[in-house]
Amino acid sequence: MSLLRRPAGGDPWLRVFRGGGDAGVRLVCVPHAGGAAGFFQSWAGRLPDSVDLLAVRYPGRQDRLSEPCVERMDPLADRITESLTPYLDRPLALFGHSMGASVAYEVAIRLEERFGIVPTVLFVSGHGAPHITRIDQDPDDFDDEEFLARIAALGEVDAAVFRSPKLRELVVPALRADLRLIHGYLPCEPRKVAAPIAAYLGTADPACDRESVSAWAELTTGGFRLRAFPGDHFYLVPAQADLLADLTTRLGGLPTAPPAAAPG
């Protein structure tokens, strides 16, 4: 196992957790609102050697804390797509959780339309299809206590963040910025991707239900599959082993070859 080298000059938008010259596919993970690339670090030990693991690093958190957050979908998806161009020499799959599902969808559109690259699979998790899903309430309508109470109701990844005033100072600005992005995002004309979509949700997720997640089927010409796991919005933490087993199955049997071009 070896780490991939970043492109010359480095790219702050991607964290490479694992890479190998013989890997059949690169899995690029896109975090949830308020999340960071480190959320996916533990996946590296559970995925097979045939899968490289990369994660998107949003500005405004962790080691990009001094950079302004991006509060609109188009510039965010554009910049992530640009950062992936050095990695398009082999098949690539996208996984996005919550807000990251919509971001991954927009990146898939750009890869297909601009480069003729169709991701092997678009994995979407914990989020309804974007053409029917919208956050009606502006996150800035709430003070910090109300805001964090609503976030905590989804399920807590790390309860210490909500208890520590210092950690909250670091997390809340990025979380608000991400929710402003989703609040303002609604595709005017939903576009279908050629990539197959595999969707996941927690059975007790208060943020989305099976019907809204099933609507992702309307956004692909490549086939659709849905699977539910026990748990809340962050079901993928306790269900990590089962989720990654399913991802591995979806990615299995991929040849070490250039990715398929978009039809037409």
Side-chain angles (χ1 to χ4, degrees), residues 32 97-99 125-127 154-155 202 204-208 231-236:
H32 53 279
H97 179 63
S98 195
M99 177 186 89
S125 167
H127 196 66
L154 298 177
D205 190 338
C208 62
D232 56 26
H233 191 60
F234 289 102
Y235 74 89
L236 67 176

Side-chain angles (χ1 to χ4, degrees), residues 109-139:
I109 289 171
R110 285 158 173 76
L111 289 173
E112 186 174 336
E113 292 183 348
R114 299 176 185 180
F115 302 103
I117 298 296
V118 177
T120 56
V121 189
L122 171 59
F123 297 104
V124 294
S125 167
H127 196 66
H131 63 302
I132 65 165
T133 301
R134 184 181 175 90
I135 296 178
D136 293 326
Q137 193 80 45
D138 188 327

Side-chain angles (χ1 to χ4, degrees), residues 45-258:
R46 288 186 178 270
L47 289 168
D49 292 341
S50 58
V51 181
D52 287 345
L53 179 64
L54 299 84
V56 170
R57 300 168 65 211
Y58 297 138
R61 62 214 76 193
Q62 292 190 333
D63 50 359
R64 301 189 69 188
L65 190 62
S66 62
E67 300 176 49
C69 296
V70 180
E71 298 187 6
R72 293 187 298 116
M73 178 64 81
D74 284 345
L76 180 63
D78 285 344
R79 188 60 189 84
I80 294 170
T81 303
E82 179 185 344
S83 74
L84 290 175
T85 55
Y87 299 100
L88 301 181
D89 59 327
R90 65 184 60 176
L92 178 147
L94 296 166
F95 177 96
H97 179 63
S98 195
M99 177 186 89
S102 288
V103 178
Y105 163 71
E106 288 289 338
V107 171
I109 289 171
R110 285 158 173 76
L111 289 173
E112 186 174 336
E113 292 183 348
R114 299 176 185 180
F115 302 103
I117 298 296
V118 177
T120 56
V121 189
L122 171 59
F123 297 104
V124 294
S125 167
H127 196 66
H131 63 302
I132 65 165
T133 301
R134 184 181 175 90
I135 296 178
D136 293 326
Q137 193 80 45
D138 188 327
D140 293 322
D141 288 345
F142 305 102
D143 63 26
D144 283 357
E145 292 301 323
E146 293 173 308
F147 179 70
L148 289 174
R150 287 173 173 262
I151 297 301
L154 298 177
E156 297 181 7
V157 176
D158 186 355
V161 171
F162 296 92
R163 293 194 301 265
S164 168
K166 289 186 178 180
L167 289 176
R168 285 165 55 164
E169 279 184 26
L170 297 176
V171 170
V172 169
L175 188 52
R176 282 193 183 276
D178 290 348
L179 292 178
R180 288 186 200 111
L181 182 151
I182 288 297
H183 175 68
Y185 169 66
L186 187 66
C188 297
E189 295 182 9
R191 290 165 287 179
K192 293 187 178 184
V193 297
I197 293 180
Y200 302 102
L201 79 155
T203 54
D205 190 338
C208 62
D209 55 25
R210 181 177 286 268
E211 181 179 3
S212 66
V213 176
S214 295
W216 281 100
E218 301 168 17
L219 300 181
T220 176
T221 61
F224 176 78
R225 180 179 178 274
L226 183 148
R227 181 171 176 184
F229 291 91
D232 56 26
H233 191 60
F234 289 102
Y235 74 89
L236 67 176
V237 176
Q240 183 187 97
D242 289 338
L243 173 63
L244 294 186
D246 197 82
L247 288 176
T248 299
T249 298
R250 298 293 106 201
L251 296 172
L254 295 172
T256 305

